[in-house]
Amino acid sequence: MRVIVVTSGKGGVGKTTTSAAFSSGLALRGFKTAVIDFDVGLRNLDLIMGCERRVVYDLVNVINGEAKLNQALIKDKHCENLFVLPASQTRDKDALTEEGVEAVLKELEHLGFEYVVCDSPAGIERGAVLALTFADEAIVTTNPEVSSVRDSDRILGILQSKSRRAAEGRDPVKEHLLLTRYSPKRVEDGEMLSYKDVQELLRVPLIGVIPESESVLHASNQGMPAIHLKGTDVSEAYQDVVSRFLGEEHELRFVNYEKPGLMKRLFGGK
Amino acid sequence: MSLLAKLFGEKKRTAEIAKNRLSLLIAHERSGSSGAADFLPALQQELIQVISKYVAVNPDDIKVQLEKQDNYEVLEVNIVLPENSR
């Protein structure tokens, strides 16, 4: 079983959108996958996955022994092989413990899960650190914008110091850079950092670029992970991310600006 | 902005500024010197306490700074004694 943390430091850059799309993509490829919300007190993964009305038990209930893991796991309605473990809405920040999270992960492995995606909260507090503690790989979600890039660099430092792999001196956590909300036009106009700039600054291999798109809001409005919006740039870009994660090579798409053709300009094709 | 640029509504190319600022900042933060300087406020407080034992100084007149010059780090402590301190 591989544990992947989706992290960023900064809030609002697309961690939950990415966790939902990426875990769905792994499940669509046939892997038994769980996605866990670590944002205790501010859970939202359930909304993005569209299972908010089916939440009965959560991660903290399982850790406290108030519910069995299989009672808390919610089967995703969009794809087979995918299960959601929601965060608790408790205000007790100490509800998550390292031993508790470790026990839950062990049990998931026992249940035959192949991938576990940990959706980290923003910040560098307890929840964010626990989300990355047991990670084998990390998807560092970054917007091409100064504060997000700086915070990503900060979280990379924390990955390299606080993960179990680091503490035990094993192979380090495998890091992937994912750029989200990318606007090729603004990059071309010199208004936005390019993916090459960000990659050069953070020195982490790029796993994908997700273009800025209206589809993401459409997806979250409906509680459907964006990867399911067939034919959209965002869905295709996330599918590429999953492919690259699984070791397939794909050229980057949606990073070059194409001037809209005459027809498109006249009829405003969308 | 030049007149031509104004006329043609040229947009500012600010991405390069962002990149330069970030590359300096990230290099600085990675070197750990920002973390090492965490003790400065405490050092300043303790200096004020010690010096106040002997001389009546204004806390604002004690300045502690850490500066980087090539490979050296220079800890600069600047204490301004009031004229009628003795």
Side-chain angles (χ1 to χ4, degrees):
Chain A
M1 187 179 81
R2 297 287 281 178
V3 178
I4 305 112
V5 61
V6 177
T7 186
S8 70
K10 191 177 182 300
V13 298
K15 283 183 296 296
T16 303
T17 301
T18 298
S19 299
F22 181 70
S23 58
S24 299
L26 288 172
L28 288 172
R29 292 292 195 99
F31 296 104
K32 191 170 178 186
T33 307
V35 56
I36 308 179
D37 190 349
F38 275 78
D39 204 344
V40 171
L42 290 170
R43 76 163 169 238
N44 276 317
L45 180 69
D46 54 338
L47 262 183
I48 301 302
M49 303 287 300
C51 63
E52 72 277 7
R53 292 199 299 177
R54 289 189 288 149
V55 176
V56 182
Y57 297 110
D58 56 53
L59 177 59
V60 172
N61 292 139
V62 176
I63 287 176
N64 291 342
E66 295 150 3
K68 293 241 166 63
L69 179 58
N70 56 21
Q71 291 178 295
L73 285 172
I74 304 170
K75 196 180 169 306
D76 182 59
K77 61 181 176 190
H78 305 289
C79 45
E80 288 286 311
N81 309 322
L82 181 60
F83 294 82
V84 184
L85 185 52
S88 163
Q89 283 292 51
T90 174
R91 291 172 67 178
D92 178 9
K93 276 200 282 180
D94 300 328
L96 285 187
T97 60
E98 199 169 310
E99 300 73 35
V101 173
E102 188 170 18
V104 168
L105 291 173
K106 280 232 171 82
E107 210 181 329
L108 285 170
E109 180 155 35
H110 192 72
L111 290 173
F113 281 90
E114 290 160 284
Y115 289 106
V116 175
V117 177
C118 301
D119 181 21
S120 171
I124 51 173
E125 302 287 319
R126 190 188 187 92
V129 173
L130 277 175
L132 63 79
T133 299
F134 300 98
D136 300 304
E137 309 200 26
I139 296 181
V140 180
T141 312
T142 309
N143 291 164
E145 177 272 330
V146 287
S147 50
S148 176
V149 174
R150 180 199 214 173
D151 291 357
S152 289
D153 191 61
R154 193 79 206 280
I155 213 78
L156 285 167
I158 293 172
L159 270 168
Q160 287 152 14
S161 62
K162 297 210 171 153
S163 62
R164 269 285 167 92
R165 283 180 168 266
E168 291 175 352
R170 287 185 284 149
D171 289 343
V173 177
K174 191 173 176 192
E175 298 159 348
H176 308 276
L177 173 64
L178 178 70
L179 270 178
T180 52
R181 308 199 65 170
Y182 196 76
S183 167
K185 180 173 192 311
R186 302 198 75 182
V187 171
E188 185 164 300
D189 290 345
E191 292 175 23
M192 184 182 265
L193 292 164
S194 71
Y195 69 89
K196 286 177 189 153
D197 291 338
V198 180
Q199 203 183 359
E200 203 179 299
L201 287 161
L202 294 177
R203 292 179 217 153
V204 172
L206 189 69
I207 197 169
V209 176
I210 311 297
E212 168 84 66
S213 163
E214 296 168 4
S215 313
V216 173
L217 184 59
H218 286 309
S220 73
N221 284 344
Q222 307 168 62
M224 180 190 276
I227 200 166
H228 294 303
L229 291 181
K230 296 259 151 56
T232 62
D233 292 2
V234 169
S235 164
E236 303 268 311
Y238 273 120
Q239 286 177 48
D240 286 359
V241 169
V242 173
S243 304
R244 289 188 198 105
F245 180 83
L246 296 172
E248 299 159 22
E249 285 194 18
H250 280 280
E251 244 182 84
L252 277 180
R253 293 196 278 170
F254 317 113
V255 290
N256 296 315
Y257 176 60
E258 286 161 33
K259 283 205 171 131
L262 181 67
M263 293 299 272
K264 202 167 183 184
R265 269 190 284 171
L266 280 176
F267 301 105
K270 239 180 208 176
Chain B
M1 205 190 266
S2 74
L3 184 67
L4 268 177
K6 266 186 196 166
L7 277 176
F8 293 102
E10 183 188 296
K11 288 186 190 161
K12 273 195 178 163
R13 299 179 70 89
T14 47
E16 209 176 313
I17 304 174
K19 191 182 176 191
N20 291 337
R21 290 173 63 211
L22 275 171
S23 66
L24 281 174
L25 180 72
I26 287 176
H28 176 74
E29 290 185 342
R30 277 190 192 162
S31 72
S33 56
S34 60
D38 280 356
F39 63 84
L40 283 184
L43 175 67
Q44 186 179 19
Q45 281 307 312
E46 285 181 39
L47 279 174
I48 291 167
Q49 282 171 22
V50 172
I51 293 165
S52 299
K53 273 193 200 169
Y54 305 95
V55 195
V57 286
N58 189 340
D60 293 338
D61 292 334
I62 299 181
K63 296 229 163 62
V64 183
Q65 270 184 326
L66 197 63
E67 271 180 36
K68 241 192 170 148
Q69 294 173 353
D70 302 325
N71 292 325
Y72 301 100
E73 278 195 299
V74 179
L75 179 65
E76 189 183 298
V77 180
N78 206 331
I79 305 166
V80 181
L81 293 178
E83 281 177 21
N84 55 351
S85 63
R86 284 163 206 269

